[in-house]
Amino acid sequence: MVRNLKKYKYVAINIEKKKFVGTFLAENEKDLARKLSEQSLYLVKAVVEKKSTASTFFSTTGKVKIRELATMCRQFAIMLNTGIPIIEALNILKNQSYTSLLKKTLEFIHEDVKGGLLLSDALKKHKRIFPNFLLSMVYVGEVSGALDKIFITLADYFESDADIKKKTKSALTYPIILIIMAIGIIVLMVAFIIPTFMDAFSTLDVNMPPITITLNNISIYLKNNWKKIFIYLVCILAVIILFSKTKKGKYFLDMMKVKLPVVNKITSSLITARFARSLGILVDGGLDVVDSLETVQIVLGNTYIEKKFKMVIENVRNGMSLTLALDSANLFPPLIIQMISVGEGTGQLGEVLNRSCGFFDNQAETALSSITTVIQPVILFIIGGSVGLLFYAIYSPLIEIMQTFGG
């Protein structure tokens, strides 16, 4: 439990009357004097230090990148495994080449731990910086006495999560480029090429096909109203972005990820992989199943799934088996339910889930690669059809002109 500690700026002396000045966390001056005496120092003067604005800022805002968290966890694990004390390990970590946000945060954590706080309690003061999953795992590591192993597990988890996110971005990049190209080609032809041909046709007595007249009217409208259209598009985009930031907006978008074809397969695979890995780590680390599920709920990354997952937690809390609770919720593929059933039956739930992580990671990667396979031909068909239609609108009057002159 986090104690109400104050930060004291103190002056102390040792037995040789050598003066020492520094800062320390303590409940009161008596507690500070006791802690200093343990280091053979005698308190002379102490003043409560006011909280700095920097401390407030860095302890409440910002997020650390997953790759950086993975690096920090691995370095921490290596130091703990070699027998370096936590305080000394933190002192080394805060001087590493991290971002200024993480370095400053580690300075505060180092100071808190040096002042007597547990590492898990010191980390909890920076909940907006560190994910809840890390906070829960560090607590498990302290209780089980296997903090070095926990940090290795955390490093593996964050690296795998970062790899999946990177592959997700890579899979979506190519379709997005194709869509931008398609829009660019269509706008170029409608705004510039068709008007040029129409100017040339206007001097000739040619019957324009309906498609050519329609596209020309669209072109004229775009040229005369492009500023208004641009403003409308920006406003619509702003409304969508603002809506997506709201609770209802995020819930709606997350629900669409689960319901829409193609996208739902990717979402399901990614969430299943994350669920299996995180639950396996927590249960294997010795955390209670209900507590593990509550922590897992936070890292699922989908508010629609999280809402349904609450019923799973409630059912397990009321005595239902995890297998039955998950099966009735219909959140995950049947295979993971079967594996959990085996794990519960053998009493090795954590081990079974940890072994299955690789399979679900591969499933997620396969689902991600399939999006390009499905979307690419659709986009190419749209591009080809649009360009073909535009060429028909341009060249059918030309053919009529050639036939007129030829006749």
Side-chain angles (χ1 to χ4, degrees), residues 70 73-74 151-161 277 281:
C73 289
R74 196 162 301 284
F151 271 106
I152 289 171
T153 303
L154 281 169
D156 292 338
Y157 173 83
F158 288 130
E159 283 169 3
S160 298
D161 206 42
R277 174 171 282 101
I281 289 169

Side-chain angles (χ1 to χ4, degrees), residues 99-268:
T99 57
S100 58
L101 174 64
L102 183 56
K103 287 180 75 170
K104 195 69 179 176
T105 305
L106 287 170
E107 286 177 17
F108 293 133
I109 293 168
H110 174 253
E111 198 172 272
D112 287 343
V113 174
K114 191 173 71 172
L117 275 185
L118 289 171
L119 178 60
S120 57
D121 290 337
L123 287 167
K124 282 175 187 175
K125 293 172 74 173
H126 308 275
K127 286 183 178 180
R128 294 195 183 182
I129 291 175
F130 298 110
N132 286 306
F133 183 68
L134 182 143
L135 303 177
S136 298
M137 287 301 294
V138 171
Y139 171 75
V140 169
E142 286 178 331
V143 171
S144 62
L147 201 56
D148 56 335
K149 292 179 182 178
I150 288 296
F151 271 106
I152 289 171
T153 303
L154 281 169
D156 292 338
Y157 173 83
F158 288 130
E159 283 169 3
S160 298
D161 206 42
D163 285 338
I164 289 174
K165 285 182 178 179
K166 185 179 178 182
K167 286 169 184 175
T168 304
K169 288 179 182 178
S170 299
L172 294 174
T173 299
Y174 185 59
I176 289 170
I177 290 171
L178 284 177
I179 291 168
I180 293 170
M181 284 176 61
I183 294 170
I185 290 168
I186 293 167
V187 170
L188 180 68
M189 295 191 76
V190 171
F192 299 102
I193 297 174
I194 286 180
T196 303
F197 277 89
M198 289 303 293
D199 290 340
F201 295 150
S202 62
T203 59
L204 302 170
D205 186 19
V206 181
N207 291 323
M208 299 291 177
I211 185 67
T212 307
I213 296 169
T214 302
L215 289 174
N216 184 54
N217 291 336
I218 292 171
S219 175
I220 293 168
Y221 180 80
L222 289 174
K223 282 182 123 179
N224 293 335
N225 299 280
W226 69 269
K227 288 182 181 178
K228 287 182 182 178
I229 294 169
F230 178 75
I231 292 169
Y232 289 150
L233 288 174
V234 169
C235 290
I236 292 168
L237 186 62
V239 169
I240 292 170
I241 292 170
L242 289 172
F243 178 67
S244 68
K245 299 291 182 184
T246 64
K247 215 172 198 179
K248 287 183 179 179
K250 185 167 175 52
Y251 181 82
F252 176 77
L253 291 174
D254 284 344
M255 183 175 66
M256 288 298 100
K257 289 177 186 176
V258 175
K259 303 274 187 186
L260 290 174
V262 182
V263 178
N264 62 351
K265 188 177 179 182
I266 296 168
T267 303
S268 175

